[in-house]
Coordinates of all heavy atoms in Angstrom, one line a residue:
M24 N 68.1 80.4 110.7 CA 68.4 80.2 112.1 C 69.5 79.3 112.3 O 69.6 78.2 111.8 CB 67.2 79.7 112.8 CG 67.3 79.5 114.2 SD 65.6 79.0 114.9 CE 65.9 79.5 116.6
A25 N 70.6 79.8 113.2 CA 71.7 78.9 113.4 C 71.4 77.7 114.4 O 70.5 77.9 115.3 CB 72.8 79.7 114.0
C26 N 71.9 76.6 114.1 CA 71.6 75.5 115.0 C 72.3 75.7 116.3 O 73.4 76.3 116.3 CB 72.0 74.1 114.2 SG 73.6 73.9 114.1
P27 N 71.8 75.1 117.4 CA 72.5 75.2 118.6 C 74.1 74.9 118.6 O 74.7 75.5 119.3 CB 71.7 74.3 119.6 CG 70.5 74.1 118.9 CD 70.7 74.3 117.4
T28 N 74.4 73.9 117.9 CA 75.8 73.5 117.8 C 76.7 74.6 117.3 O 77.8 74.9 117.8 CB 76.0 72.1 117.0 OG1 75.2 71.2 117.7 CG2 77.4 71.7 117.0
R29 N 76.2 75.1 116.1 CA 76.9 76.3 115.5 C 77.0 77.5 116.5 O 78.0 78.1 116.6 CB 76.1 76.7 114.2 CG 76.9 77.9 113.6 CD 76.2 78.0 112.2 NE 76.6 79.4 111.6 CZ 77.8 79.7 111.1 NH1 78.6 78.9 111.0 NH2 78.0 80.9 110.5
V30 N 75.8 77.8 117.2 CA 75.9 79.1 118.1 C 76.8 78.7 119.2 O 77.6 79.6 119.5 CB 74.4 79.1 118.6 CG1 74.5 80.2 119.7 CG2 73.5 79.7 117.5
S31 N 76.8 77.5 119.8 CA 77.8 77.3 120.8 C 79.3 77.4 120.3 O 80.2 77.9 121.0 CB 77.6 75.7 121.3 OG 78.6 75.4 122.2
R32 N 79.5 76.8 119.1 CA 80.9 76.9 118.6 C 81.3 78.3 118.3 O 82.5 78.6 118.7 CB 80.9 76.1 117.3 CG 82.2 75.9 116.5 CD 82.2 75.0 115.4 NE 81.5 75.6 114.3 CZ 80.4 75.3 113.7 NH1 79.7 74.2 114.3 NH2 79.8 75.9 112.7
L33 N 80.5 79.2 117.8 CA 80.8 80.4 117.5 C 80.9 81.3 118.8 O 81.8 82.2 118.8 CB 79.9 81.1 116.6 CG 79.7 80.5 115.1 CD1 78.6 81.2 114.2 CD2 81.0 80.5 114.4
A34 N 80.2 80.9 119.8 CA 80.4 81.5 121.1 C 81.7 81.3 121.7 O 82.4 82.1 122.4 CB 79.2 81.1 122.1
R35 N 82.3 80.0 121.5 CA 83.6 79.6 122.0 C 84.7 80.4 121.2 O 85.6 80.8 121.7 CB 83.7 78.2 121.8 CG 83.0 77.4 122.9 CD 83.2 75.9 122.8 NE 83.0 75.6 121.5 CZ 83.1 74.3 121.1 NH1 83.5 73.3 121.9 NH2 82.9 74.0 119.8
V36 N 84.4 80.6 119.9 CA 85.3 81.4 119.1 C 85.4 82.8 119.7 O 86.5 83.4 119.8 CB 85.1 81.4 117.6 CG1 85.7 82.5 116.8 CG2 85.2 80.0 117.0
F37 N 84.2 83.4 119.9 CA 84.1 84.8 120.4 C 84.9 84.9 121.7 O 85.6 85.8 121.9 CB 82.6 85.1 120.6 CG 82.4 86.5 121.1 CD1 82.4 87.5 120.3 CD2 82.2 86.7 122.5 CE1 82.3 88.9 120.8 CE2 81.9 88.0 123.0 CZ 82.1 89.2 122.2
R38 N 84.6 84.0 122.6 CA 85.2 84.1 123.9 C 86.8 83.9 123.9 O 87.5 84.6 124.5 CB 84.7 83.0 124.8 CG 83.2 83.3 125.4 CD 82.9 82.4 126.5 NE 82.8 81.0 126.2 CZ 81.9 80.4 125.7 NH1 80.6 80.9 125.5 NH2 82.0 79.1 125.4
A39 N 87.3 83.1 122.9 CA 88.6 82.9 122.8 C 89.3 84.1 122.3 O 90.3 84.5 122.7 CB 88.9 81.7 121.9
C40 N 88.6 84.7 121.3 CA 89.2 86.0 120.8 C 89.1 87.2 121.7 O 90.0 88.0 121.9 CB 88.6 86.4 119.4 SG 89.0 85.2 118.2
R41 N 88.0 87.3 122.5 CA 87.8 88.4 123.5 C 88.7 88.4 124.6 O 89.1 89.2 125.1 CB 86.3 88.4 123.9 CG 86.0 89.5 124.7 CD 84.7 89.5 125.3 NE 84.5 88.3 126.1 CZ 83.3 87.9 126.6 NH1 82.2 88.5 126.2 NH2 83.3 86.8 127.4
A42 N 89.1 87.1 124.9 CA 90.1 86.8 126.1 C 91.5 87.5 125.8 O 92.2 87.8 126.6 CB 90.3 85.3 126.3
V43 N 91.8 87.7 124.4 CA 93.1 88.3 124.2 C 93.0 89.6 123.3 O 94.1 90.2 122.9 CB 94.0 87.2 123.3 CG1 94.3 86.1 124.3 CG2 93.3 86.8 122.0
G44 N 91.8 90.1 123.2 CA 91.8 91.3 122.2 C 90.5 92.1 122.5 O 89.8 91.7 123.5
T45 N 90.1 93.0 121.8 CA 89.1 93.9 121.9 C 88.0 93.6 120.8 O 88.3 93.6 119.6 CB 89.4 95.4 121.7 OG1 90.6 95.7 122.7 CG2 88.3 96.3 122.0
A46 N 86.7 93.4 121.3 CA 85.6 93.0 120.3 C 85.0 94.3 120.0 O 84.7 95.0 120.7 CB 84.6 92.1 120.9
Y47 N 84.8 94.4 118.5 CA 84.2 95.6 117.9 C 82.8 95.2 117.6 O 81.9 96.2 117.5 CB 85.0 96.2 117.0 CG 86.2 96.9 117.5 CD1 87.5 96.3 117.2 CD2 86.2 98.0 118.4 CE1 88.6 97.0 117.8 CE2 87.3 98.5 119.0 CZ 88.6 98.0 118.6 OH 89.7 98.5 119.2
Q48 N 82.6 94.1 117.0 CA 81.4 93.5 116.6 C 81.4 92.1 117.1 O 82.5 91.5 117.5 CB 81.1 93.6 115.1 CG 81.1 95.0 114.6 CD 80.9 95.1 113.1 OE1 81.1 94.0 112.4 NE2 80.8 96.3 112.5
Y49 N 80.4 91.3 116.9 CA 80.4 90.0 117.3 C 81.5 89.1 116.6 O 82.0 88.1 117.2 CB 79.0 89.2 117.1 CG 78.9 87.8 117.7 CD1 78.9 87.8 119.1 CD2 79.0 86.8 116.8 CE1 78.7 86.6 119.8 CE2 79.0 85.4 117.5 CZ 78.8 85.5 118.9 OH 78.9 84.1 119.6
S50 N 81.8 89.5 115.4 CA 83.0 88.8 114.7 C 84.1 89.6 114.2 O 84.8 89.2 113.5 CB 82.2 88.1 113.5 OG 81.8 89.1 112.6
V51 N 84.3 90.8 114.9 CA 85.4 91.6 114.5 C 86.2 92.0 115.8 O 85.6 92.5 116.7 CB 85.0 92.9 113.7 CG1 86.2 93.8 113.5 CG2 84.3 92.6 112.6
F52 N 87.5 91.7 115.7 CA 88.4 91.9 116.9 C 89.5 92.6 116.6 O 90.2 92.4 115.5 CB 88.6 90.5 117.6 CG 87.5 89.8 118.1 CD1 86.8 88.8 117.3 CD2 87.2 89.9 119.4 CE1 85.8 88.2 117.7 CE2 86.1 89.2 119.9 CZ 85.4 88.4 119.0
H53 N 90.1 93.3 117.5 CA 91.4 93.9 117.4 C 92.4 93.2 118.4 O 92.1 93.2 119.6 CB 91.4 95.4 117.6 CG 92.8 96.1 117.5 ND1 93.7 96.2 118.6 CD2 93.4 96.5 116.3 CE1 94.8 96.7 118.0 NE2 94.7 96.9 116.7
L54 N 93.4 92.6 117.8 CA 94.3 91.9 118.7 C 95.7 92.4 118.5 O 96.2 92.6 117.3 CB 94.3 90.3 118.3 CG 92.9 89.6 118.2 CD1 93.0 88.2 117.5 CD2 92.2 89.5 119.6
H55 N 96.4 92.6 119.7 CA 97.8 92.9 119.5 C 98.6 91.9 120.2 O 98.8 91.9 121.5 CB 97.9 94.3 120.4 CG 99.3 94.8 120.2 ND1 99.7 95.7 119.1 CD2 100.3 94.9 120.9 CE1 100.9 96.1 119.2 NE2 101.3 95.7 120.4
L56 N 99.1 90.9 119.4 CA 99.8 89.7 119.9 C 101.0 89.6 119.2 O 101.4 89.9 118.2 CB 98.9 88.6 119.5 CG 97.4 88.4 119.9 CD1 96.7 87.3 119.3 CD2 97.4 88.3 121.4
S57 N 101.9 88.9 120.0 CA 103.3 88.4 119.4 C 102.9 87.3 118.5 O 101.8 86.7 118.5 CB 104.1 87.7 120.6 OG 103.6 86.6 121.0
E58 N 103.9 87.0 117.6 CA 103.8 86.0 116.6 C 103.4 84.5 117.3 O 102.5 84.0 116.9 CB 105.0 85.9 115.8 CG 104.8 84.9 114.6 CD 103.9 85.7 113.5 OE1 103.8 86.8 113.5 OE2 103.4 84.7 112.7
Q59 N 104.0 84.3 118.4 CA 103.8 83.0 119.2 C 102.4 83.0 119.8 O 101.6 82.0 119.6 CB 104.8 83.0 120.4 CG 104.6 81.7 121.1 CD 105.7 81.5 122.2 OE1 106.6 82.4 122.4 NE2 105.5 80.5 123.0
D60 N 101.9 84.2 120.3 CA 100.6 84.2 120.9 C 99.6 84.0 119.8 O 98.6 83.4 120.0 CB 100.4 85.4 121.7 CG 101.2 85.5 123.0 OD1 101.6 84.4 123.5 OD2 101.3 86.6 123.6
L61 N 99.9 84.7 118.7 CA 98.9 84.6 117.4 C 98.8 83.1 117.1 O 97.6 82.6 116.7 CB 99.3 85.4 116.3 CG 98.4 85.3 115.0 CD1 96.9 85.6 115.3 CD2 99.0 86.2 113.9
N62 N 99.9 82.5 117.0 CA 99.9 81.0 116.4 C 99.2 80.2 117.5 O 98.4 79.2 117.1 CB 101.4 80.6 116.3 CG 101.9 81.1 115.0 OD1 101.2 81.5 114.1 ND2 103.3 81.2 115.0
T63 N 99.3 80.5 118.8 CA 98.6 79.7 119.9 C 97.1 79.9 119.7 O 96.3 79.0 119.8 CB 99.1 80.2 121.2 OG1 100.5 79.9 121.4 CG2 98.3 79.5 122.3
L64 N 96.7 81.1 119.6 CA 95.3 81.4 119.3 C 94.8 80.8 118.1 O 93.6 80.1 118.0 CB 95.0 82.9 119.1 CG 93.6 83.4 118.9 CD1 92.6 83.0 120.0 CD2 93.5 84.9 118.6
L65 N 95.5 80.9 117.0 CA 94.9 80.2 115.7 C 94.8 78.8 116.0 O 94.0 78.1 115.4 CB 95.9 80.5 114.5 CG 95.9 82.0 114.0 CD1 96.8 82.3 113.0 CD2 94.4 82.4 113.6
S66 N 95.9 78.0 116.6 CA 95.8 76.6 116.9 C 94.5 76.3 117.7 O 93.8 75.3 117.4 CB 97.0 76.2 117.6 OG 98.1 76.3 116.8
R67 N 94.2 77.1 118.7 CA 93.1 77.0 119.5 C 91.7 77.1 118.8 O 90.8 76.2 118.9 CB 93.0 78.1 120.6 CG 91.8 77.7 121.5 CD 91.9 78.4 122.9 NE 90.8 78.1 123.7 CZ 90.2 78.9 124.5 NH1 90.8 80.1 124.7 NH2 89.1 78.6 125.2
L68 N 91.8 78.1 117.9 CA 90.5 78.4 117.0 C 90.3 77.2 116.1 O 89.2 76.8 115.6 CB 90.7 79.7 116.3 CG 90.7 80.9 117.2 CD1 90.8 82.1 116.4 CD2 89.3 81.0 117.9
E69 N 91.4 76.7 115.6 CA 91.4 75.6 114.6 C 90.7 74.4 115.1 O 90.0 73.7 114.5 CB 92.8 75.3 114.1 CG 92.8 74.3 112.9 CD 94.2 74.2 112.3 OE1 95.2 74.4 113.0 OE2 94.3 73.8 111.1
E70 N 90.8 74.2 116.4 CA 90.2 73.1 117.2 C 88.8 73.4 117.3 O 88.0 72.3 117.5 CB 90.9 72.8 118.6 CG 92.4 72.4 118.4 CD 93.0 72.4 119.7 OE1 92.4 72.6 120.8 OE2 94.2 71.9 119.8
I71 N 88.4 74.5 117.4 CA 86.9 74.9 117.7 C 86.1 74.9 116.4 O 84.9 74.5 116.5 CB 86.8 76.3 118.4 CG1 87.5 76.3 119.8 CG2 85.5 76.7 118.6 CD1 87.7 77.7 120.4
I72 N 86.6 75.5 115.4 CA 85.8 75.9 114.2 C 85.4 74.5 113.5 O 86.1 73.5 113.5 CB 86.5 76.9 113.3 CG1 87.6 76.3 112.6 CG2 86.6 78.1 114.0 CD1 88.1 77.3 111.5
D73 N 84.4 74.6 112.6 CA 84.1 73.6 111.6 C 84.7 74.2 110.3 O 84.1 75.2 109.7 CB 82.5 73.5 111.5 CG 82.1 72.6 110.3 OD1 82.9 72.2 109.5 OD2 81.0 72.2 110.3
Q74 N 85.7 73.5 109.9 CA 86.4 74.1 108.7 C 85.8 74.1 107.4 O 86.0 74.8 106.5 CB 87.8 73.5 108.6 CG 88.8 73.8 109.7 CD 90.3 73.5 109.5 OE1 90.7 73.3 108.3 NE2 91.0 73.4 110.6
G75 N 84.6 73.4 107.4 CA 83.7 73.4 106.2 C 82.7 74.5 106.3 O 82.0 74.7 105.2
A76 N 82.5 75.0 107.3 CA 81.4 76.1 107.5 C 81.9 77.4 108.0 O 81.2 78.4 107.7 CB 80.3 75.5 108.4
D77 N 82.9 77.5 108.7 CA 83.4 78.7 109.4 C 84.5 79.2 108.5 O 85.3 78.6 107.8 CB 83.8 78.5 110.8 CG 82.6 77.9 111.7 OD1 81.5 78.2 111.4 OD2 82.9 77.0 112.6
D78 N 84.8 80.6 108.9 CA 85.9 81.3 108.1 C 86.5 82.3 109.2 O 85.7 83.1 109.7 CB 85.2 82.1 107.0 CG 86.2 82.9 106.1 OD1 87.4 82.6 106.2 OD2 85.7 83.9 105.5
I79 N 87.8 82.2 109.4 CA 88.5 83.1 110.2 C 89.6 83.7 109.5 O 90.3 83.1 108.6 CB 89.1 82.3 111.4 CG1 88.0 81.9 112.4 CG2 90.0 83.3 112.1 CD1 88.3 81.2 113.6
R80 N 89.7 85.1 109.5 CA 90.8 85.8 108.7 C 91.5 86.7 109.6 O 90.9 87.2 110.6 CB 90.0 86.7 107.7 CG 89.2 85.8 106.7 CD 88.5 86.8 105.8 NE 87.5 86.0 104.9 CZ 87.0 86.2 103.8 NH1 87.4 87.5 103.3 NH2 86.2 85.5 103.2
V81 N 92.8 86.7 109.3 CA 93.7 87.6 110.2 C 94.3 88.6 109.1 O 94.7 88.3 108.2 CB 94.8 86.7 110.7 CG1 95.9 87.7 111.5 CG2 94.2 85.7 111.7
Y82 N 94.1 90.0 109.6 CA 94.8 91.1 108.7 C 95.7 91.7 109.7 O 95.3 92.2 110.7 CB 93.5 92.0 108.4 CG 92.5 91.4 107.5 CD1 91.4 91.0 108.0 CD2 92.7 91.4 106.1 CE1 90.4 90.4 107.2 CE2 91.7 90.7 105.3 CZ 90.6 90.3 105.9 OH 89.6 89.7 105.1
R83 N 96.9 91.6 109.3 CA 98.0 92.2 110.1 C 98.1 93.6 109.8 O 98.4 94.1 108.7 CB 99.3 91.4 109.8 CG 99.2 89.9 110.0 CD 100.4 89.3 109.6 NE 100.2 87.8 109.7 CZ 100.9 87.1 110.7 NH1 101.6 87.7 111.7 NH2 100.6 85.7 110.9
L84 N 98.1 94.3 110.9 CA 98.4 95.9 110.8 C 99.6 96.2 111.4 O 99.8 95.9 112.7 CB 97.1 96.6 111.5 CG 95.7 96.3 111.0 CD1 94.8 97.1 111.7 CD2 95.7 96.7 109.4
Q85 N 100.5 96.9 110.8 CA 101.8 97.2 111.4 C 101.9 98.4 112.4 O 102.6 98.5 113.2 CB 102.9 97.4 110.3 CG 103.0 96.2 109.5 CD 103.4 94.9 110.2 OE1 104.3 95.0 111.0 NE2 102.9 93.8 110.0
S86 N 100.8 99.3 112.2 CA 100.7 100.5 113.0 C 99.3 101.1 113.0 O 98.6 100.7 112.0 CB 101.6 101.5 112.5 OG 101.2 102.1 111.2
P87 N 99.1 101.9 113.9 CA 97.7 102.6 113.9 C 97.4 103.4 112.8 O 96.3 103.7 112.3 CB 97.6 103.4 115.3 CG 99.0 103.5 115.7 CD 99.9 102.4 115.0
Q88 N 98.5 103.9 111.9 CA 98.4 104.7 110.8 C 97.6 103.8 109.7 O 97.2 104.5 108.7 CB 99.7 105.1 110.3 CG 100.3 106.3 111.2 CD 100.9 105.8 112.6 OE1 101.3 104.6 112.6 NE2 100.9 106.6 113.4
Q89 N 97.5 102.5 109.8 CA 96.9 101.8 108.7 C 95.5 101.8 109.0 O 94.7 101.1 108.1 CB 97.4 100.4 108.6 CG 98.9 100.3 108.2 CD 99.5 99.0 108.1 OE1 99.9 98.6 109.1 NE2 99.5 98.4 106.9
I90 N 94.9 102.2 110.1 CA 93.5 102.2 110.3 C 92.9 103.6 110.2 O 93.3 104.7 110.7 CB 93.2 101.9 111.7 CG1 93.9 100.5 112.1 CG2 91.9 101.9 112.2 CD1 93.9 100.1 113.6
E91 N 91.9 103.7 109.3 CA 91.3 104.8 108.9 C 89.8 104.9 109.5 O 89.1 103.9 109.5 CB 91.1 105.1 107.5 CG 92.4 105.3 106.8 CD 92.3 105.6 105.3 OE1 91.4 106.3 104.9 OE2 93.1 105.3 104.6
T92 N 89.4 105.9 110.3 CA 88.1 106.0 111.0 C 87.6 107.3 110.7 O 88.2 108.3 110.4 CB 88.2 105.8 112.5 OG1 89.1 106.9 113.0 CG2 89.0 104.5 112.8
L93 N 86.3 107.4 110.9 CA 85.5 108.6 110.8 C 84.8 108.8 112.2 O 84.3 107.7 112.7 CB 84.4 108.5 109.7 CG 85.0 108.6 108.2 CD1 83.8 108.3 107.2 CD2 85.7 109.8 107.9
G94 N 84.8 109.9 112.6 CA 84.1 110.1 114.0 C 85.1 109.6 115.2 O 86.3 109.5 115.0
K95 N 84.6 109.2 116.3 CA 85.3 108.7 117.3 C 86.1 107.4 116.9 O 85.5 106.6 116.4 CB 84.4 108.4 118.5 CG 85.2 108.0 119.7 CD 84.4 107.7 120.9 CE 85.1 107.1 122.2 NZ 84.3 106.7 123.2
G96 N 87.4 107.4 117.0 CA 88.2 106.3 116.7 C 87.7 105.0 117.6 O 87.4 105.1 118.7
P97 N 87.7 103.8 116.9 CA 87.4 102.6 117.6 C 88.4 102.0 118.6 O 88.0 101.1 119.3 CB 87.2 101.6 116.5 CG 88.2 102.0 115.5 CD 88.3 103.6 115.6
L98 N 89.6 102.5 118.5 CA 90.6 101.9 119.4 C 90.8 102.7 120.7 O 91.0 103.8 120.7 CB 92.0 101.9 118.7 CG 92.1 101.0 117.4 CD1 93.5 101.3 116.8 CD2 91.7 99.6 117.7
P99 N 90.8 101.9 121.9 CA 91.0 102.5 123.1 C 92.4 103.1 123.2 O 93.3 102.5 122.5 CB 90.8 101.3 124.1 CG 90.1 100.2 123.4 CD 90.4 100.5 122.0
E100 N 92.6 104.1 124.0 CA 93.9 104.6 124.2 C 94.8 103.6 124.6 O 94.6 102.7 125.5 CB 93.9 105.8 125.2 CG 93.5 107.1 124.7 CD 93.7 108.2 125.6 OE1 94.7 108.3 126.3 OE2 92.7 109.0 125.8
G101 N 96.1 103.7 124.2 CA 97.2 102.8 124.6 C 97.3 101.4 124.0 O 98.2 100.6 124.3
I102 N 96.3 101.1 123.0 CA 96.3 99.7 122.5 C 97.5 99.4 121.7 O 97.9 98.2 121.7 CB 95.1 99.5 121.8 CG1 94.6 98.1 121.6 CG2 95.1 100.1 120.3 CD1 93.3 97.8 121.4
F103 N 98.2 100.5 121.2 CA 99.4 100.2 120.5 C 100.6 100.6 121.3 O 101.7 100.7 120.9 CB 99.5 101.0 119.1 CG 98.7 100.3 118.1 CD1 97.5 100.7 117.7 CD2 99.4 99.2 117.3 CE1 96.8 100.1 116.7 CE2 98.6 98.6 116.2 CZ 97.4 99.0 115.9
G104 N 100.4 100.8 122.6 CA 101.5 101.1 123.4 C 102.0 102.5 123.5 O 103.1 102.8 123.9
D105 N 101.0 103.4 122.9 CA 101.5 104.8 122.8 C 101.0 105.6 124.1 O 100.5 105.1 125.0 CB 100.9 105.4 121.7 CG 99.4 105.2 121.3 OD1 99.0 104.0 121.7 OD2 98.7 105.9 120.8

């Protein structure tokens, strides 16, 4: 069971990411950001997380062709400006 402090911290991370991207799971987001906006978000997240307990990873996708799906695609129309 997560302690209330951890739950609160992770909820703040969730809200910060959801404010600038699309949430697919509680801990998986698709973000379409400029380098500056990404750095701003990462700085904000760095202030929120416990670096000894939490883990945030960024995977840069250059195009929608790098995403493989089965069934209905997970990305809403126009997310890459198409």
Side-chain angles (χ1 to χ4, degrees):
M24 180 175 201
C26 70
T28 304
R29 178 176 166 77
V30 171
S31 173
R32 187 175 70 248
L33 297 180
R35 288 184 304 181
V36 167
F37 179 85
R38 287 191 302 271
C40 292
R41 188 182 60 191
V43 295
T45 304
Y47 293 113
Q48 295 176 358
Y49 190 74
S50 62
V51 178
F52 295 85
H53 181 266
L54 310 171
H55 188 79
L56 302 172
S57 67
E58 193 69 28
Q59 180 179 357
D60 289 342
L61 175 61
N62 289 333
T63 298
L64 175 63
L65 291 175
S66 293
R67 180 167 184 212
L68 294 175
E69 192 171 23
E70 294 172 3
I71 296 172
I72 69 169
D73 174 346
Q74 293 194 20
D77 301 326
D78 179 25
I79 293 178
R80 298 173 189 203
V81 174
Y82 299 96
R83 297 170 190 262
L84 302 175
Q85 299 301 317
S86 72
Q88 288 76 25
Q89 292 179 279
I90 301 170
E91 293 187 34
T92 62
L93 297 175
K95 181 179 177 192
L98 299 177
E100 274 189 48
I102 203 153
F103 278 101
D105 40 331

